[in-house]
Amino acid sequence: TFRYKSTVKILPPSLRQKKGQRWTTFTPPAAGSSRRYRGRLSHRRSHQAFVELKTDAPDIAVAIGITHDIANDVRRYVEDELPSVGRLLVLRPSTGSSSQAVVAGRHAFDLAQSAKELIRSAIGGQSPEMIAHVFVAAPNALTFFLGQQSPVLGCVRLYEFDFEGGRDRSYRASLTLPVST
């Protein structure tokens, strides 16, 4: 039996984070080490972090492509369907999008923390009415941890992709935070 405050290490020794080792996340690929856990996230690999779409539009779109590279699909959707979005921030692993990009739960948490900080810095001194339109292709744990950080981001609208093709195999707004009552 487990005691109330007992802990159990469930990762094999080869996957445990070593003392002093950090899974830094949204750093440029050049800062990555040769360690196994270098699945870091960066702004676009050799491009700018932001894609300027319209200078007079206040909102920002964020494409977080961990398991799939969604940057082009998100840009196309934003340009066609979201006239209020002026900038696109693209975040993806420096090692490339894949189902193996997130190593463990702690790694997912670190990625979510870094994503929150980058989104906050991108929002900067924007008006309180601004909406951050967030598109995510990532493991559920990362999305959960990012959701925990949403209060500091202001108004966030999440989008989901129609994988089954029941509608038009495109994005749909799924949830806006904070939820108004």
Side-chain angles (χ1 to χ4, degrees):
T1 58
F2 291 108
R3 299 169 113 182
Y4 172 66
K5 291 190 176 184
S6 66
T7 60
V8 177
K9 292 184 179 179
I10 59 172
L11 290 175
S14 63
L15 293 180
R16 289 188 195 137
Q17 187 176 12
K18 310 296 187 273
K19 185 174 182 174
Q21 179 185 23
R22 292 186 45 90
W23 290 321
T24 53
T25 52
F26 289 94
T27 57
S33 68
S34 61
R35 287 190 203 128
R36 175 175 166 80
Y37 301 115
R38 68 180 188 131
R40 304 164 195 277
L41 293 179
S42 66
H43 301 303
R44 301 201 56 176
R45 229 178 251 234
S46 59
H47 305 288
Q48 296 178 12
F50 293 102
V51 177
E52 200 66 42
L53 301 172
K54 299 175 195 156
T55 56
D56 59 341
D59 293 354
I60 185 170
V62 181
I64 304 174
I66 307 298
T67 56
H68 306 289
D69 187 0
I70 60 172
N72 292 333
D73 292 336
V74 170
R75 182 174 182 162
R76 195 173 314 114
Y77 178 80
V78 167
E79 288 174 340
D80 294 345
E81 304 292 331
L82 299 174
S84 64
V85 172
R87 296 175 294 154
L88 172 63
L89 171 63
V90 178
L91 304 173
R92 64 177 132 187
S94 58
T95 56
S97 300
S98 80
S99 62
Q100 303 298 313
V102 178
V103 177
R106 177 59 195 225
H107 190 206
F109 178 79
D110 289 343
L111 294 173
Q113 288 285 100
S114 294
K116 174 203 63 165
E117 290 302 321
L118 285 170
I119 295 168
R120 282 186 72 194
S121 66
I123 291 171
Q126 297 289 330
S127 71
E129 294 84 33
M130 189 210 70
I131 299 173
H133 301 267
V134 180
F135 302 80
V136 182
N140 287 338
L142 190 145
T143 307
F144 173 78
F145 291 132
L146 186 59
Q148 289 181 321
Q149 307 297 320
S150 68
V152 298
L153 299 177
C155 187
V156 175
R157 182 165 296 144
L158 301 172
Y159 291 80
E160 62 182 336
F161 188 78
D162 176 27
F163 283 108
E164 288 79 32
R167 289 183 228 147
D168 58 0
R169 294 193 56 81
S170 184
Y171 290 98
R172 297 268 186 228
S174 60
L175 179 66
T176 302
L177 300 171
V179 177
S180 59
T181 56

